[in-house]
Amino acid sequence: METMSEPFYVTTPIYYVNDAPHIGHAYTTVAADVLARWRRMWGDDVVFLTGTDEHGLKVQRSAEARGLAPLDWATTNSDLFRQAWDDLDITYDDYIRTTEPRHRAAVQAMLQRVYDAGDIELDSYEGLYCVGCELYYKEDELEGGTNCPIHGAPVEHVVEENYFFRLSRYEDRLLQHYADHPEAVQPAGKRNEVLGLIKQGLQDFSISRTSISWGIPLPWDAEHVAYVWFDALINYCTAVGYPDDREQFTRYWPVNYHLIGKDILRQHAVYWPAMLMAAGEEPPQCVFAHGYLLVGGEKMSKTRLNQIAPADLVADFGVDGFRYHFLVDQRFGPDGDFSYEAMVARYNADLANNFGNLANRVLNMAVNYCGGIVPDTRADGPLVQQASDAFAALTALLGELDYAGGFGAVWDLIRHTNAYIEDQAPWALNKAGETAAVAAVLGDCLETLRIVALLASPIIPQAAAELWRRLGLPGRPEDQRLPEVAAWGQLPPGANLEKGTPLFPRIESGEA
Ligand SMILES: [Zn+2]
Protein backbone atom coordinates (compact mmCIF):
# COMPACT_ATOMS: atom_id res chain seq x y z
CA MET A 1 0.00 0.00 0.00
CA GLU A 2 1.26 3.46 -0.91
CA THR A 3 1.56 5.39 2.29
CA MET A 4 2.62 8.74 0.81
CA SER A 5 -0.55 9.29 -1.20
CA GLU A 6 -3.94 10.39 -0.01
CA PRO A 7 -6.67 7.77 0.25
CA PHE A 8 -9.73 8.42 -1.92
CA TYR A 9 -12.73 6.13 -1.70
CA VAL A 10 -15.67 6.36 -4.12
CA THR A 11 -18.60 3.99 -4.54
CA THR A 12 -21.56 3.35 -6.80
CA PRO A 13 -24.66 1.70 -5.37
CA ILE A 14 -24.48 -2.07 -5.55
CA TYR A 15 -26.91 -3.01 -8.29
CA TYR A 16 -29.74 -5.40 -7.72
CA VAL A 17 -29.16 -8.70 -9.53
CA ASN A 18 -32.79 -9.00 -10.48
CA ASP A 19 -32.25 -6.03 -12.82
CA ALA A 20 -30.37 -6.07 -16.10
CA PRO A 21 -27.70 -3.39 -16.61
CA HIS A 22 -29.24 -0.29 -18.24
CA ILE A 23 -28.05 3.22 -18.98
CA GLY A 24 -29.26 4.45 -15.58
CA HIS A 25 -26.79 2.12 -13.84
CA ALA A 26 -24.12 3.08 -16.37
CA TYR A 27 -24.66 6.78 -15.69
CA THR A 28 -23.69 6.48 -12.02
CA THR A 29 -20.90 4.03 -12.77
CA VAL A 30 -19.26 6.18 -15.46
CA ALA A 31 -19.46 9.20 -13.14
CA ALA A 32 -17.64 7.28 -10.42
CA ASP A 33 -15.09 6.01 -12.95
CA VAL A 34 -14.24 9.50 -14.19
CA LEU A 35 -13.73 10.65 -10.63
CA ALA A 36 -11.57 7.61 -9.82
CA ARG A 37 -9.42 8.12 -12.93
CA TRP A 38 -9.03 11.81 -12.16
CA ARG A 39 -7.98 11.23 -8.55
CA ARG A 40 -5.50 8.55 -9.63
CA MET A 41 -3.86 11.11 -11.94
CA TRP A 42 -3.38 13.27 -8.86
CA GLY A 43 -1.54 10.41 -7.23
CA ASP A 44 -4.29 9.46 -4.80
CA ASP A 45 -4.55 5.95 -3.47
CA VAL A 46 -7.99 5.31 -4.97
CA VAL A 47 -10.47 2.61 -4.09
CA PHE A 48 -13.37 2.61 -6.55
CA LEU A 49 -16.03 0.12 -5.52
CA THR A 50 -19.00 -1.24 -7.41
CA GLY A 51 -20.82 -4.56 -7.24
CA THR A 52 -24.11 -6.35 -6.87
CA ASP A 53 -26.82 -6.73 -4.23
CA GLU A 54 -27.85 -10.39 -4.26
CA HIS A 55 -30.10 -11.29 -1.35
CA GLY A 56 -33.82 -10.98 -0.76
CA LEU A 57 -37.16 -12.39 -1.66
CA LYS A 58 -37.25 -11.24 -5.27
CA VAL A 59 -33.95 -12.97 -6.06
CA GLN A 60 -35.06 -16.12 -4.26
CA ARG A 61 -38.33 -16.21 -6.23
CA SER A 62 -36.70 -15.48 -9.59
CA ALA A 63 -34.24 -18.29 -9.02
CA GLU A 64 -36.99 -20.72 -7.96
CA ALA A 65 -39.03 -19.83 -11.05
CA ARG A 66 -36.06 -20.89 -13.18
CA GLY A 67 -35.29 -24.00 -11.15
CA LEU A 68 -31.96 -22.54 -10.09
CA ALA A 69 -30.20 -22.12 -6.78
CA PRO A 70 -30.35 -18.44 -5.77
CA LEU A 71 -26.57 -18.13 -5.84
CA ASP A 72 -26.36 -19.47 -9.40
CA TRP A 73 -29.01 -17.03 -10.58
CA ALA A 74 -27.23 -14.19 -8.77
CA THR A 75 -23.87 -15.17 -10.27
CA THR A 76 -25.24 -15.17 -13.81
CA ASN A 77 -26.68 -11.69 -13.40
CA SER A 78 -23.78 -10.28 -11.42
CA ASP A 79 -21.55 -11.30 -14.31
CA LEU A 80 -23.76 -9.30 -16.70
CA PHE A 81 -23.05 -6.16 -14.70
CA ARG A 82 -19.36 -6.90 -14.58
CA GLN A 83 -19.34 -7.43 -18.33
CA ALA A 84 -21.21 -4.14 -18.89
CA TRP A 85 -18.58 -2.28 -16.84
CA ASP A 86 -15.72 -3.96 -18.63
CA ASP A 87 -17.34 -2.92 -21.92
CA LEU A 88 -17.40 0.71 -20.77
CA ASP A 89 -13.76 0.72 -19.63
CA ILE A 90 -14.78 1.07 -16.00
CA THR A 91 -11.70 0.87 -13.79
CA TYR A 92 -13.25 -0.38 -10.57
CA ASP A 93 -10.75 -1.56 -7.98
CA ASP A 94 -13.13 -3.91 -6.26
CA TYR A 95 -16.33 -5.62 -7.32
CA ILE A 96 -18.28 -6.72 -4.31
CA ARG A 97 -21.05 -9.29 -4.17
CA THR A 98 -23.20 -9.39 -1.05
CA THR A 99 -23.11 -13.20 -1.17
CA GLU A 100 -19.36 -13.24 -0.47
CA PRO A 101 -18.15 -14.59 2.90
CA ARG A 102 -16.34 -11.31 3.64
CA HIS A 103 -19.67 -9.48 3.43
CA ARG A 104 -21.51 -11.97 5.60
CA ALA A 105 -18.85 -11.44 8.26
CA ALA A 106 -19.12 -7.66 8.02
CA VAL A 107 -22.94 -7.63 8.20
CA GLN A 108 -22.98 -9.92 11.20
CA ALA A 109 -20.31 -7.88 12.96
CA MET A 110 -22.14 -4.59 12.42
CA LEU A 111 -25.50 -6.06 13.41
CA GLN A 112 -23.96 -7.39 16.61
CA ARG A 113 -22.41 -4.02 17.43
CA VAL A 114 -25.72 -2.23 17.00
CA TYR A 115 -27.65 -4.94 18.87
CA ASP A 116 -25.18 -4.78 21.76
CA ALA A 117 -25.56 -1.00 21.81
CA GLY A 118 -29.30 -1.50 22.33
CA ASP A 119 -30.46 0.01 19.05
CA ILE A 120 -31.90 -3.19 17.58
CA GLU A 121 -34.95 -4.60 19.36
CA LEU A 122 -37.66 -7.16 18.70
CA ASP A 123 -41.02 -5.50 18.17
CA SER A 124 -44.20 -5.77 16.25
CA TYR A 125 -45.11 -3.14 13.83
CA GLU A 126 -47.84 -2.23 11.47
CA GLY A 127 -47.58 0.24 8.67
CA LEU A 128 -47.82 1.04 5.01
CA TYR A 129 -45.13 -0.79 3.13
CA CYS A 130 -43.87 -0.61 -0.46
CA VAL A 131 -42.35 -3.93 -1.52
CA GLY A 132 -40.49 -2.23 -4.41
CA CYS A 133 -38.76 0.25 -2.10
CA GLU A 134 -38.58 -2.16 0.85
CA LEU A 135 -39.69 0.84 2.91
CA TYR A 136 -42.48 1.93 5.21
CA TYR A 137 -44.21 5.16 4.30
CA LYS A 138 -46.38 7.51 6.25
CA GLU A 139 -49.78 8.20 4.76
CA ASP A 140 -48.98 11.83 3.96
CA GLU A 141 -45.89 10.78 1.98
CA LEU A 142 -47.96 8.67 -0.41
CA GLU A 143 -49.42 9.73 -3.72
CA GLY A 144 -53.12 10.20 -3.07
CA GLY A 145 -52.59 8.67 0.37
CA THR A 146 -52.33 5.19 -1.14
CA ASN A 147 -49.49 4.88 -3.66
CA CYS A 148 -45.70 4.78 -3.40
CA PRO A 149 -44.17 8.11 -4.50
CA ILE A 150 -41.35 6.22 -6.30
CA HIS A 151 -43.21 3.29 -7.84
CA GLY A 152 -46.70 4.72 -8.16
CA ALA A 153 -48.09 1.36 -7.01
CA PRO A 154 -50.37 0.87 -3.99
CA VAL A 155 -48.54 0.20 -0.72
CA GLU A 156 -49.49 -2.74 1.50
CA HIS A 157 -50.76 -2.65 5.07
CA VAL A 158 -48.33 -4.88 6.93
CA VAL A 159 -48.20 -6.19 10.50
CA GLU A 160 -45.07 -8.04 11.54
CA GLU A 161 -42.91 -9.09 14.45
CA ASN A 162 -39.34 -8.35 13.57
CA TYR A 163 -36.19 -6.79 14.77
CA PHE A 164 -36.24 -3.05 14.39
CA PHE A 165 -33.48 -0.53 14.18
CA ARG A 166 -34.26 2.40 16.48
CA LEU A 167 -33.79 5.08 13.86
CA SER A 168 -36.11 7.40 15.81
CA ARG A 169 -33.37 7.85 18.42
CA TYR A 170 -31.06 9.43 15.87
CA GLU A 171 -32.97 12.55 14.79
CA ASP A 172 -30.93 14.99 16.85
CA ARG A 173 -27.61 13.39 16.05
CA LEU A 174 -28.35 13.37 12.34
CA LEU A 175 -29.43 17.02 12.38
CA GLN A 176 -26.28 17.91 14.30
CA HIS A 177 -24.17 15.93 11.84
CA TYR A 178 -25.63 17.78 8.85
CA ALA A 179 -25.29 21.12 10.63
CA ASP A 180 -21.61 20.39 11.21
CA HIS A 181 -21.08 18.96 7.71
CA PRO A 182 -23.27 20.79 5.22
CA GLU A 183 -21.29 19.19 2.37
CA ALA A 184 -22.29 15.70 3.47
CA VAL A 185 -25.34 15.62 1.20
CA GLN A 186 -25.17 17.15 -2.26
CA PRO A 187 -26.48 18.86 -4.28
CA ALA A 188 -27.96 21.45 -1.88
CA GLY A 189 -31.55 20.68 -2.90
CA LYS A 190 -31.08 17.09 -1.84
CA ARG A 191 -29.61 18.20 1.47
CA ASN A 192 -32.75 20.23 2.17
CA GLU A 193 -34.88 17.23 1.29
CA VAL A 194 -32.95 15.09 3.78
CA LEU A 195 -33.22 17.71 6.53
CA GLY A 196 -36.96 17.89 5.85
CA LEU A 197 -37.30 14.12 6.22
CA ILE A 198 -35.45 14.10 9.52
CA LYS A 199 -37.39 17.04 10.92
CA GLN A 200 -40.71 15.36 10.10
CA GLY A 201 -39.71 12.65 12.56
CA LEU A 202 -38.05 9.32 11.86
CA GLN A 203 -39.63 5.90 12.23
CA ASP A 204 -37.84 2.80 13.37
CA PHE A 205 -37.42 0.34 10.54
CA SER A 206 -37.50 -3.39 10.30
CA ILE A 207 -34.16 -5.04 9.67
CA SER A 208 -35.01 -8.72 9.60
CA ARG A 209 -37.40 -11.29 8.17
CA THR A 210 -38.29 -14.83 9.17
CA SER A 211 -40.13 -15.54 5.93
CA ILE A 212 -37.01 -15.58 3.76
CA SER A 213 -34.12 -17.99 3.75
CA TRP A 214 -31.98 -16.21 1.12
CA GLY A 215 -30.04 -13.81 3.31
CA ILE A 216 -27.57 -13.39 6.14
CA PRO A 217 -28.76 -14.81 9.51
CA LEU A 218 -28.76 -12.48 12.51
CA PRO A 219 -25.87 -13.60 14.73
CA TRP A 220 -28.02 -13.75 17.88
CA ASP A 221 -31.20 -15.19 16.30
CA ALA A 222 -30.67 -17.41 13.26
CA GLU A 223 -34.44 -17.66 12.66
CA HIS A 224 -34.17 -14.17 11.16
CA VAL A 225 -32.15 -13.04 8.17
CA ALA A 226 -30.96 -9.46 7.74
CA TYR A 227 -33.28 -7.54 5.53
CA VAL A 228 -32.26 -5.33 2.63
CA TRP A 229 -30.68 -2.17 4.02
CA PHE A 230 -28.92 -3.76 6.98
CA ASP A 231 -27.33 -6.04 4.42
CA ALA A 232 -26.78 -3.97 1.27
CA LEU A 233 -25.49 -0.70 2.71
CA ILE A 234 -22.82 -2.43 4.77
CA ASN A 235 -21.04 -3.47 1.56
CA TYR A 236 -19.33 -0.08 1.57
CA CYS A 237 -17.59 -1.04 4.81
CA THR A 238 -16.95 -4.67 3.87
CA ALA A 239 -14.88 -3.70 0.85
CA VAL A 240 -12.39 -1.69 2.87
CA GLY A 241 -11.73 -4.28 5.52
CA TYR A 242 -14.58 -4.06 8.03
CA PRO A 243 -14.54 -5.47 10.65
CA ASP A 244 -11.23 -7.30 10.96
CA ASP A 245 -8.72 -5.16 9.08
CA ARG A 246 -8.97 -2.05 11.20
CA GLU A 247 -5.89 -0.47 9.66
CA GLN A 248 -7.25 -0.68 6.14
CA PHE A 249 -10.72 0.36 7.25
CA THR A 250 -9.63 3.52 9.01
CA ARG A 251 -7.47 4.44 6.03
CA TYR A 252 -10.46 4.65 3.66
CA TRP A 253 -13.35 5.31 6.01
CA PRO A 254 -15.28 7.59 6.09
CA VAL A 255 -15.85 7.20 2.35
CA ASN A 256 -15.26 10.32 0.22
CA TYR A 257 -18.25 9.86 -2.08
CA HIS A 258 -21.25 7.60 -2.26
CA LEU A 259 -22.67 8.35 -5.72
CA ILE A 260 -26.34 7.36 -5.88
CA GLY A 261 -29.58 7.96 -7.74
CA LYS A 262 -32.08 10.10 -5.86
CA ASP A 263 -34.49 7.18 -5.34
CA ILE A 264 -32.19 5.79 -2.63
CA LEU A 265 -31.36 9.11 -0.96
CA ARG A 266 -33.32 8.43 2.24
CA GLN A 267 -31.56 5.11 2.77
CA HIS A 268 -28.09 6.59 2.17
CA ALA A 269 -28.47 9.93 3.90
CA VAL A 270 -30.77 9.01 6.80
CA TYR A 271 -30.62 5.27 7.50
CA TRP A 272 -26.96 4.70 6.72
CA PRO A 273 -25.36 7.49 8.78
CA ALA A 274 -27.56 6.49 11.72
CA MET A 275 -26.59 2.83 11.33
CA LEU A 276 -22.94 3.83 11.30
CA MET A 277 -23.34 6.04 14.37
CA ALA A 278 -25.04 3.15 16.17
CA ALA A 279 -22.12 0.90 15.24
CA GLY A 280 -19.62 3.47 16.47
CA GLU A 281 -18.36 4.42 13.00
CA GLU A 282 -18.27 7.74 11.18
CA PRO A 283 -20.90 8.73 8.62
CA PRO A 284 -19.95 9.18 4.92
CA GLN A 285 -18.16 12.39 3.97
CA CYS A 286 -20.52 12.93 1.06
CA VAL A 287 -23.62 11.32 -0.38
CA PHE A 288 -24.12 12.79 -3.85
CA ALA A 289 -27.53 12.07 -5.38
CA HIS A 290 -28.09 12.57 -9.08
CA GLY A 291 -31.45 12.77 -10.82
CA TYR A 292 -33.24 10.19 -12.88
CA LEU A 293 -32.19 9.49 -16.40
CA LEU A 294 -35.53 9.68 -18.14
CA VAL A 295 -36.40 8.10 -21.45
CA GLY A 296 -39.19 9.90 -23.28
CA GLY A 297 -39.88 11.83 -20.08
CA GLU A 298 -40.35 8.67 -17.98
CA LYS A 299 -38.18 6.84 -15.48
CA MET A 300 -36.75 3.65 -16.93
CA SER A 301 -38.42 0.53 -15.65
CA LYS A 302 -38.84 -3.09 -16.56
CA THR A 303 -42.59 -2.74 -16.68
CA ARG A 304 -42.48 0.24 -19.03
CA LEU A 305 -40.00 -1.61 -21.26
CA ASN A 306 -38.02 1.56 -21.81
CA GLN A 307 -34.71 0.31 -20.46
CA ILE A 308 -31.76 0.81 -22.77
CA ALA A 309 -28.72 -1.44 -22.42
CA PRO A 310 -25.32 0.32 -22.54
CA ALA A 311 -24.12 -2.12 -25.22
CA ASP A 312 -26.83 -0.90 -27.63
CA LEU A 313 -25.36 2.60 -27.58
CA VAL A 314 -21.70 1.57 -27.42
CA ALA A 315 -22.25 -0.22 -30.75
CA ASP A 316 -23.12 3.13 -32.35
CA PHE A 317 -21.07 5.67 -30.40
CA GLY A 318 -18.13 3.73 -29.05
CA VAL A 319 -17.08 3.59 -25.42
CA ASP A 320 -15.82 7.17 -25.39
CA GLY A 321 -18.90 8.53 -27.14
CA PHE A 322 -21.09 6.83 -24.56
CA ARG A 323 -19.11 8.10 -21.59
CA TYR A 324 -18.90 11.63 -22.96
CA HIS A 325 -22.60 11.94 -23.68
CA PHE A 326 -23.79 10.78 -20.30
CA LEU A 327 -21.55 13.06 -18.29
CA VAL A 328 -21.62 16.16 -20.46
CA ASP A 329 -25.13 16.18 -21.93
CA GLN A 330 -26.84 14.84 -18.82
CA ARG A 331 -25.94 17.20 -15.99
CA PHE A 332 -25.01 15.31 -12.85
CA GLY A 333 -27.64 16.36 -10.33
CA PRO A 334 -30.99 17.20 -11.94
CA ASP A 335 -33.11 14.76 -13.94
CA GLY A 336 -31.94 14.28 -17.50
CA ASP A 337 -33.91 13.14 -20.51
CA PHE A 338 -32.18 10.71 -22.83
CA SER A 339 -32.66 11.08 -26.55
CA TYR A 340 -30.81 9.29 -29.32
CA GLU A 341 -30.97 12.36 -31.57
CA ALA A 342 -29.42 14.60 -28.92
CA MET A 343 -26.68 12.01 -28.43
CA VAL A 344 -25.88 12.04 -32.17
CA ALA A 345 -25.85 15.83 -32.24
CA ARG A 346 -23.54 16.08 -29.25
CA TYR A 347 -21.21 13.39 -30.57
CA ASN A 348 -20.88 15.09 -33.95
CA ALA A 349 -20.43 18.59 -32.53
CA ASP A 350 -18.02 17.91 -29.68
CA LEU A 351 -16.21 14.70 -30.56
CA ALA A 352 -16.21 14.39 -34.36
CA ASN A 353 -15.96 18.12 -35.11
CA ASN A 354 -14.25 19.96 -32.28
CA PHE A 355 -12.01 17.30 -30.78
CA GLY A 356 -11.54 15.02 -33.79
CA ASN A 357 -10.97 17.79 -36.32
CA LEU A 358 -8.50 19.59 -34.12
CA ALA A 359 -6.41 16.45 -33.65
CA ASN A 360 -6.67 15.57 -37.31
CA ARG A 361 -5.79 18.92 -38.81
CA VAL A 362 -2.92 19.67 -36.43
CA LEU A 363 -1.31 16.28 -36.90
CA ASN A 364 -1.81 16.43 -40.67
CA MET A 365 -0.22 19.86 -40.95
CA ALA A 366 2.64 18.88 -38.65
CA VAL A 367 3.34 15.85 -40.82
CA ASN A 368 3.06 17.85 -44.04
CA TYR A 369 4.82 21.05 -43.00
CA CYS A 370 7.23 19.95 -40.26
CA GLY A 371 8.25 16.52 -41.56
CA GLY A 372 6.26 14.72 -38.86
CA ILE A 373 8.63 15.89 -36.16
CA VAL A 374 7.62 17.90 -33.10
CA PRO A 375 9.10 21.40 -33.55
CA ASP A 376 10.55 23.42 -30.68
CA THR A 377 7.57 24.68 -28.72
CA ARG A 378 7.67 28.20 -27.35
CA ALA A 379 7.10 29.03 -23.72
CA ASP A 380 4.94 32.07 -24.32
CA GLY A 381 2.45 31.17 -27.05
CA PRO A 382 -1.01 32.73 -26.99
CA LEU A 383 -2.63 29.44 -25.90
CA VAL A 384 -0.58 29.13 -22.70
CA GLN A 385 -3.07 31.00 -20.54
CA GLN A 386 -6.07 29.25 -22.04
CA ALA A 387 -4.53 25.82 -21.40
CA SER A 388 -3.82 26.77 -17.82
CA ASP A 389 -7.35 28.16 -17.36
CA ALA A 390 -8.87 24.94 -18.69
CA PHE A 391 -6.88 22.87 -16.22
CA ALA A 392 -7.82 25.15 -13.33
CA ALA A 393 -11.50 25.09 -14.25
CA LEU A 394 -11.59 21.31 -14.70
CA THR A 395 -9.90 20.84 -11.34
CA ALA A 396 -12.28 23.17 -9.53
CA LEU A 397 -15.44 21.86 -11.18
CA LEU A 398 -14.65 18.14 -10.83
CA GLY A 399 -14.13 18.95 -7.17
CA GLU A 400 -17.86 19.74 -7.14
CA LEU A 401 -18.79 16.79 -9.39
CA ASP A 402 -19.75 19.26 -12.12
CA TYR A 403 -18.67 17.07 -15.01
CA ALA A 404 -20.44 19.10 -17.69
CA GLY A 405 -18.84 22.32 -16.50
CA GLY A 406 -15.39 20.81 -16.02
CA PHE A 407 -15.11 19.09 -19.36
CA GLY A 408 -16.88 22.07 -20.93
CA ALA A 409 -13.79 24.07 -19.97
CA VAL A 410 -11.56 21.55 -21.77
CA TRP A 411 -13.77 21.81 -24.86
CA ASP A 412 -13.50 25.61 -24.63
CA LEU A 413 -9.75 25.16 -24.96
CA ILE A 414 -10.35 22.97 -28.02
CA ARG A 415 -12.59 25.64 -29.60
CA HIS A 416 -10.04 28.38 -28.83
CA THR A 417 -7.36 26.31 -30.50
CA ASN A 418 -9.47 25.69 -33.60
CA ALA A 419 -10.12 29.45 -33.80
CA TYR A 420 -6.41 30.14 -33.34
CA ILE A 421 -5.63 27.91 -36.32
CA GLU A 422 -8.19 29.73 -38.49
CA ASP A 423 -6.72 33.03 -37.40
CA GLN A 424 -3.07 32.09 -37.97
CA ALA A 425 -3.68 30.06 -41.16
CA PRO A 426 -0.53 27.90 -41.02
CA TRP A 427 -1.26 26.68 -44.58
CA ALA A 428 -0.80 30.28 -45.83
CA LEU A 429 2.33 30.72 -43.72
CA ASN A 430 3.68 27.50 -45.17
CA LYS A 431 2.95 28.62 -48.71
CA ALA A 432 4.75 31.88 -48.01
CA GLY A 433 7.77 29.93 -46.83
CA GLU A 434 7.59 31.27 -43.27
CA THR A 435 9.01 28.13 -41.70
CA ALA A 436 9.66 29.57 -38.25
CA ALA A 437 6.12 30.95 -37.97
CA VAL A 438 4.64 27.61 -39.08
CA ALA A 439 6.68 25.78 -36.46
CA ALA A 440 5.64 28.25 -33.77
CA VAL A 441 1.91 27.97 -34.50
CA LEU A 442 1.92 24.19 -34.89
CA GLY A 443 4.13 23.82 -31.84
CA ASP A 444 1.49 25.73 -29.83
CA CYS A 445 -1.26 23.51 -31.21
CA LEU A 446 0.61 20.26 -30.60
CA GLU A 447 1.34 21.24 -27.03
CA THR A 448 -2.33 22.11 -26.57
CA LEU A 449 -3.26 18.68 -27.94
CA ARG A 450 -0.99 17.09 -25.36
CA ILE A 451 -2.78 18.95 -22.59
CA VAL A 452 -6.19 18.16 -24.07
CA ALA A 453 -5.33 14.43 -24.25
CA LEU A 454 -4.31 14.57 -20.63
CA LEU A 455 -7.34 16.47 -19.33
CA ALA A 456 -9.88 14.58 -21.43
CA SER A 457 -8.49 11.14 -20.61
CA PRO A 458 -10.81 10.45 -17.63
CA ILE A 459 -13.89 10.85 -19.81
CA ILE A 460 -12.67 9.61 -23.23
CA PRO A 461 -9.82 7.30 -22.21
CA GLN A 462 -9.47 5.45 -25.50
CA ALA A 463 -9.26 8.45 -27.83
CA ALA A 464 -7.04 10.30 -25.37
CA ALA A 465 -4.60 7.40 -25.24
CA GLU A 466 -4.53 7.15 -29.03
CA LEU A 467 -3.93 10.90 -29.40
CA TRP A 468 -1.15 10.67 -26.81
CA ARG A 469 0.46 7.89 -28.86
CA ARG A 470 0.16 9.85 -32.13
CA LEU A 471 1.92 12.77 -30.42
CA GLY A 472 4.89 10.47 -29.94
CA LEU A 473 4.49 10.39 -26.17
CA PRO A 474 5.36 7.29 -24.14
CA GLY A 475 2.91 5.55 -21.81
CA ARG A 476 -0.69 6.58 -21.41
CA PRO A 477 -2.14 9.93 -20.32
CA GLU A 478 -3.90 8.30 -17.37
CA ASP A 479 -0.55 7.22 -15.94
CA GLN A 480 0.79 10.78 -15.83
CA ARG A 481 0.99 12.71 -12.59
CA LEU A 482 -0.91 15.95 -12.05
CA PRO A 483 -0.46 18.83 -11.61
CA GLU A 484 3.12 18.91 -12.97
CA VAL A 485 2.32 17.26 -16.29
CA ALA A 486 -0.43 19.80 -17.09
CA ALA A 487 2.11 22.65 -17.19
CA TRP A 488 2.88 24.09 -20.62
CA GLY A 489 5.88 23.06 -22.69
CA GLN A 490 6.48 19.35 -22.11
CA LEU A 491 6.11 17.94 -25.60
CA PRO A 492 9.61 16.72 -26.39
CA PRO A 493 10.97 18.39 -29.58
CA GLY A 494 12.08 15.91 -32.20
CA ALA A 495 9.49 13.25 -31.35
CA ASN A 496 7.82 11.48 -34.25
CA LEU A 497 4.21 12.39 -34.98
CA GLU A 498 1.67 10.21 -36.64
CA LYS A 499 -1.49 11.18 -38.46
CA GLY A 500 -4.17 8.54 -38.63
CA THR A 501 -7.79 7.75 -39.19
CA PRO A 502 -10.37 10.06 -37.55
CA LEU A 503 -10.58 9.48 -33.80
CA PHE A 504 -14.36 10.03 -33.90
CA PRO A 505 -15.88 9.26 -37.33
CA ARG A 506 -18.95 11.39 -37.93
CA ILE A 507 -22.31 9.71 -37.45
CA GLU A 508 -24.42 10.68 -40.45
CA SER A 509 -27.90 9.44 -39.70
CA GLY A 510 -30.22 10.23 -36.83
CA GLU A 511 -31.08 6.55 -36.43
CA ALA A 512 -28.77 3.59 -36.43
ZN1 LIG B 1 -41.88 2.10 -3.82
Side-chain angles (χ1 to χ4, degrees), residues 433-450:
E434 301 201 37
T435 324
V438 170
V441 171
L442 291 181
D444 289 347
C445 294
L446 287 163
E447 175 59 14
T448 305
L449 279 184
R450 185 190 70 86

Side-chain angles (χ1 to χ4, degrees), residues 130 132-133 137 148 150-151:
C130 172
C133 295
Y137 283 98
C148 168
I150 307 281
H151 293 91

Side-chain angles (χ1 to χ4, degrees), residues 235-317:
N235 90 87
Y236 302 130
C237 289
T238 307
V240 288
Y242 188 87
D244 293 331
D245 191 342
R246 203 64 207 171
E247 191 185 334
Q248 192 203 14
F249 183 70
T250 51
R251 177 165 175 76
Y252 297 105
W253 200 265
V255 62
N256 296 77
Y257 285 105
H258 286 319
L259 304 190
I260 61 164
K262 68 180 183 182
D263 52 335
I264 47 176
L265 178 64
R266 177 201 303 248
Q267 294 86 343
H268 279 79
V270 180
Y271 289 15
W272 181 225
M275 288 162 61
L276 286 160
M277 288 171 181
E281 306 296 350
E282 289 182 64
Q285 292 185 55
C286 181
V287 173
F288 195 107
H290 64 73
Y292 292 141
L293 195 57
L294 306 173
V295 175
E298 291 198 316
K299 187 170 187 276
M300 277 176 286
S301 77
K302 270 188 173 173
T303 48
R304 293 192 185 107
L305 295 173
N306 61 351
Q307 291 185 351
I308 300 171
D312 297 342
L313 296 172
V314 168
D316 294 349
F317 296 91

Side-chain angles (χ1 to χ4, degrees), residues 428-510:
L429 296 172
N430 183 61
K431 212 169 180 183
E434 301 201 37
T435 324
V438 170
V441 171
L442 291 181
D444 289 347
C445 294
L446 287 163
E447 175 59 14
T448 305
L449 279 184
R450 185 190 70 86
I451 292 171
V452 164
L454 195 65
L455 301 185
S457 73
I459 193 165
I460 51 168
Q462 297 185 352
E466 175 59 12
L467 177 55
W468 192 260
R469 192 190 66 75
R470 290 183 192 182
L471 289 167
L473 292 162
R476 300 178 303 173
E478 65 204 73
D479 298 327
Q480 311 303 312
R481 179 61 57 90
L482 293 168
E484 296 81 4
V485 73
W488 186 268
Q490 298 182 52
L491 196 62
N496 284 305
L497 298 166
E498 189 183 317
K499 45 185 190 178
T501 53
L503 291 167
F504 292 102
R506 243 188 109 74
I507 296 174
E508 295 301 343
S509 69

